[in-house]
């Protein structure tokens, strides 16, 4: 009898496995009076019905798709209760819309063309990837940006009829190349999927791959991007480097980024602004002031001379010390996630990283509160890669509203323990073994600045590991890691 009661209680209290879960950020920043698009990321079998309590009047929710559209409300904070229901149950989550001066209140999540295609991109490729962001389910976990990188416009002097020709029209407006016949239609298409779309250019005369860039046309190009309907700009220094006399001068390095920021601010659309200048003149110290929502802190993670793992760990672990400058609205960017099918040695193939290295990669980017920009081919996602990208407990740590960048709290030889404070008072900890053989790593409470008994949860496997006091110890494989969430029990 007792057992039946237990089962009954469990059945009513525990959410059914197939009940919806609302994922993604819990806070969302917009500028007032701009076009608004947010798709509620929610997992669970469809059909699903969405509703929202407390939605500002200028917004409307499509109850079938979970898409919120309209015009962003006047300056203020709006707490909305999002709700998703399917035949297995209901999920509810508070969601704060902050209409003000700051976008990217949590690290942006999306995908970029660069590491799967370099400059060999087209309208068709981008549409197919947008389709795949939806059909793979990535959209249900908070991925929302489809970012076009280098290679979309004209390459001055190129003999290739598809990318050569006039880079601008008679009035100086930027022209896409022949592989992008209608940029507005492409933006509309991506929006029609509930996603956002990003574009790429630079402040110099040419981009890194030699395509037309914005030098002398900054405002005009920004207006063109807005007319087409873009939502995001990656601004890549490249050929502008030659115009900087003192490479350590903050003023000189900041100037082109401030100029484009000023141009973006005049538009009637929200643009998330990604500075790409490889960390020159300590960009993390002034990237936010220059208007950036995230800034690359290093050279390309894909430009690995030795192995990819060596480069990933060099770039990722070198974010230590930069945590002071990261937070809501402005994030350090250690570049994209090179997992799944990526261009490697100029061929589309599976990432050369081992499974443990891939877990460590995503663990590190998540505890760093780094933007999660997938670099692989979304039309060729295998289950392992999809699982790596869509673990909602891991994403919750990345997207936590406190917006802290995690930092190392202990190091010895090749082993490190990193920690990140979370909004609900719990703590994320990541244990890493960067060495070439198995190693024991201990997360000690005194290093984590916590006390007393802690409920320890393994976030990757969604398992409660039990109560621990003083430390948590694990044996990690070569290049392996562990990510935990610790909640104090003696409060
Ligand atoms: C630079 C950037 C990359 C990519 C390429 C495009 O290398 O750092 O992220 O945008 O240019 O050419």
């Amino acid at each position: 009898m007792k057992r039946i009661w237990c089962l009954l209680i469990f059945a009513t209290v525990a959410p059914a496995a197939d009940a919806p879960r609302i994922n993604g950020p819990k806070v969302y920043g917009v500028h007032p009076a701009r076009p608004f698009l947010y798709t509620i990321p929610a997992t669970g079998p469809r059909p699903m019905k969405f509703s929202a309590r407390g939605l500002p009047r200028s917004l409307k929710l499509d109850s079938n798709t979970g898409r919120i559209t309209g015009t962003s409300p006047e300056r203020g904070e709006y707490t909305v209760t999002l709700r998703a229901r399917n035949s297995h149950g209901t999920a509810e989550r508070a969601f704060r819309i902050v209409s003000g001066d700051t976008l990217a209140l949590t690290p942006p999540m999306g995908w970029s063309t660069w590491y799967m295609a370099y400059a060999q991109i087209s309208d068709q490729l981008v549409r197919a990837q947008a389709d795949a962001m939806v059909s793979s389910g990535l959209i249900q976990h908070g991925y929302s940006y489809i970012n076009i990188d280098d290679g979309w416009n004209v390459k001055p002097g190129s003999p290739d009829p598809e990318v050569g020709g006039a880079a601008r029209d008679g009035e100086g407006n930027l022209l896409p190349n022949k592989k992008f016949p209608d940029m507005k239609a492409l933006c509309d298409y991506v929006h029609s999927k509930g996603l956002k779309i990003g574009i790429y250019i630079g402040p110099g005369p040419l981009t890194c791959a030699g395509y037309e860039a914005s030098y002398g046309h900054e405002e005009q190009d920004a207006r063109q991007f807005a007319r087409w309907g873009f939502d995001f700009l990656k601004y890549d220094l490249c050929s502008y480097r030659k115009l900087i006399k003192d490479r350590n001068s903050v003023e000189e390095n900041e100037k082109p980024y401030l100029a484009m920021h000023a141009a973006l601010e005049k538009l009637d659309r929200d643009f998330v602004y990604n500075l790409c200048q490889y960390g020159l003149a300590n960009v993390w110290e002034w990237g936010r002031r220059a208007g950036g929502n995230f800034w690359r802190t290093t050279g390309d993670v894909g430009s690995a001379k030795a192995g990819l793992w060596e480069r990933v760990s060099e770039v990722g672990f070198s974010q230590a010390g930069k945590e002071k400058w990261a937070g809501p609205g402005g994030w350090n960017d250690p570049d994209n996630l090179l997992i799944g099918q990526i261009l490697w040695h100029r061929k589309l193939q599976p990432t050369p990283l081992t499974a443990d290295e891939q877990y460590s990669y995503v663990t590190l980017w998540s505890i760093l509160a780094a933007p999660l920009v997938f670099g692989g081919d979304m039309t060729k996602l295998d289950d392992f890669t999809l699982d790596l990208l869509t673990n909602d407990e891991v994403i919750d740590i990345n997207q936590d509203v406190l917006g802290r960048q995690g930092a190392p709290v202990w190091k010895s030889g090749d082993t490190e323990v990193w920690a990140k404070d979370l909004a609900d008072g719990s703590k994320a900890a990541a244990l890493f073994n960067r060495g070439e053989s198995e190693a024991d790593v201990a997360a000690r409470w005194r290093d984590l600045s916590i006390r007393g008994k802690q409920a320890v949860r393994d976030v990757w496997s969604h398992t409660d590991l039990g109560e621990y006091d003083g430390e948590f110890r694990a044996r990690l494989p070569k290049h392996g890691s562990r990510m935990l969430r610790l909640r104090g029990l003696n409060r």
Side-chain angles (χ1 to χ4, degrees), residues 158-169:
S158 169
D160 177 348
E162 288 209 293
V163 300
R168 294 176 181 275
D169 70 11

Side-chain angles (χ1 to χ4, degrees), residues 412-428:
S412 170
D414 290 324
T415 55
E416 304 192 6
V417 175
W418 287 54
K420 178 186 196 302
D421 288 336
L422 300 169
D424 67 352
S426 68
K427 188 151 307 226

Side-chain angles (χ1 to χ4, degrees), residues 20-27 38 40-42 51-53 79-84 90-96 140-142 392-393 395-397 399-401 485:
R21 184 188 198 273
I22 300 178
N23 304 309
K26 291 186 179 139
V27 63
Y38 182 81
I40 302 170
S51 59
R53 247 193 350 263
T79 301
V80 181
T81 308
L82 304 177
R83 195 177 236 254
T90 306
E92 243 186 43
R93 195 182 213 193
F95 180 65
R96 212 152 36 89
Q140 299 175 4
H141 300 269
D392 297 309
E393 290 192 36
I395 293 174
D396 281 348
I397 289 174
Q399 292 291 305
D400 186 76
V401 297
R485 192 157 179 156

Side-chain angles (χ1 to χ4, degrees), residues 233-304:
L233 175 67
K234 173 172 167 184
Y235 207 42
D236 193 353
L237 193 68
C238 277
S239 62
Y240 191 96
R241 255 177 126 147
K242 294 198 197 93
L243 304 172
I244 293 176
K245 289 188 201 82
D246 171 6
R247 56 196 294 265
N248 299 318
S249 156
V250 170
E251 205 191 326
E252 276 194 81
N253 278 283
E254 193 177 22
K255 193 175 150 204
Y257 287 95
L258 278 169
M260 183 48 92
H261 176 60
L264 295 176
E265 286 289 285
K266 290 187 192 144
L267 305 173
D268 55 6
R269 294 188 69 79
D270 280 348
F271 271 79
V272 164
Y273 187 31
N274 177 200
L275 318 188
C276 178
Q277 48 82 285
Y278 342 113
L280 296 172
N282 292 358
V283 63
W284 47 91
E285 294 174 3
W286 51 265
R288 183 187 293 269
R289 190 173 72 212
N293 296 115
F294 58 115
W295 41 83
R296 283 271 303 280
T297 51
T298 66
D300 297 4
V301 78
S303 70

Side-chain angles (χ1 to χ4, degrees), residues 212-223:
E212 174 77 1
S214 289
Y215 188 70
H217 293 271
E218 294 79 0
E219 286 211 7
Q220 190 175 20
D221 291 355
R223 281 199 302 271

Side-chain angles (χ1 to χ4, degrees), residues 7-311:
L7 282 174
L8 273 176
I9 291 168
F10 184 76
T12 45
V13 176
D18 282 337
R21 184 188 198 273
I22 300 178
N23 304 309
K26 291 186 179 139
V27 63
Y28 184 62
V30 290
H31 289 134
R34 305 267 172 89
F36 186 103
L37 169 63
Y38 182 81
T39 303
I40 302 170
T43 37
R46 269 47 183 180
M48 198 175 279
K49 279 275 178 200
F50 294 90
S51 59
R53 247 193 350 263
L55 202 62
R57 284 233 297 274
S58 62
L59 300 176
K60 65 171 195 306
L61 166 69
D62 181 321
S63 61
N64 294 315
T65 60
R67 243 172 255 165
I68 304 174
T69 54
T71 304
S72 42
E74 60 186 65
R75 202 166 270 278
E77 291 203 17
Y78 305 83
T79 301
V80 181
T81 308
L82 304 177
R83 195 177 236 254
R85 180 166 50 86
N86 68 6
S87 58
H88 304 274
T90 306
E92 243 186 43
R93 195 182 213 193
F95 180 65
R96 212 152 36 89
I97 298 172
V98 183
S99 184
D101 301 315
T102 317
L103 307 178
L105 294 176
T106 63
M109 293 173 66
W111 167 89
S112 156
T113 51
W114 184 244
Y115 285 123
M116 69 147 286
Y118 294 151
Q120 308 312 310
I121 54 175
S122 65
D123 174 280
Q124 264 167 319
L125 178 145
V126 174
R127 283 176 194 243
Q129 294 294 325
D131 291 349
M133 188 177 268
V134 177
S135 62
S136 65
L138 283 172
I139 189 175
Q140 299 175 4
H141 300 269
Y143 292 87
S144 62
Y145 285 96
I146 295 286
N147 292 341
I148 301 175
D149 208 277
D150 211 349
W152 63 271
N153 63 346
V154 168
K155 188 172 189 176
S158 169
D160 177 348
E162 288 209 293
V163 300
R168 294 176 181 275
D169 70 11
E171 269 103 56
N173 295 311
L174 260 180
L175 297 169
N177 64 38
K178 305 234 169 23
K179 296 186 287 173
F180 289 88
D182 188 340
M183 274 300 193
K184 177 157 189 329
L186 178 57
C187 292
D188 289 347
Y189 182 79
V190 171
H191 292 148
S192 78
K193 301 259 144 185
L195 300 169
K196 300 200 171 176
I197 180 159
I199 192 74
Y200 164 100
I201 202 143
L206 296 176
T207 67
C208 292
Y211 292 72
E212 174 77 1
S214 289
Y215 188 70
H217 293 271
E218 294 79 0
E219 286 211 7
Q220 190 175 20
D221 291 355
R223 281 199 302 271
Q224 180 67 276
F225 297 145
R227 268 200 303 275
W228 281 332
F230 283 100
D231 310 291
F232 173 108
L233 175 67
K234 173 172 167 184
Y235 207 42
D236 193 353
L237 193 68
C238 277
S239 62
Y240 191 96
R241 255 177 126 147
K242 294 198 197 93
L243 304 172
I244 293 176
K245 289 188 201 82
D246 171 6
R247 56 196 294 265
N248 299 318
S249 156
V250 170
E251 205 191 326
E252 276 194 81
N253 278 283
E254 193 177 22
K255 193 175 150 204
Y257 287 95
L258 278 169
M260 183 48 92
H261 176 60
L264 295 176
E265 286 289 285
K266 290 187 192 144
L267 305 173
D268 55 6
R269 294 188 69 79
D270 280 348
F271 271 79
V272 164
Y273 187 31
N274 177 200
L275 318 188
C276 178
Q277 48 82 285
Y278 342 113
L280 296 172
N282 292 358
V283 63
W284 47 91
E285 294 174 3
W286 51 265
R288 183 187 293 269
R289 190 173 72 212
N293 296 115
F294 58 115
W295 41 83
R296 283 271 303 280
T297 51
T298 66
D300 297 4
V301 78
S303 70
K305 292 203 179 65
L308 183 55
W309 168 252
E310 284 66 26
R311 182 69 184 149

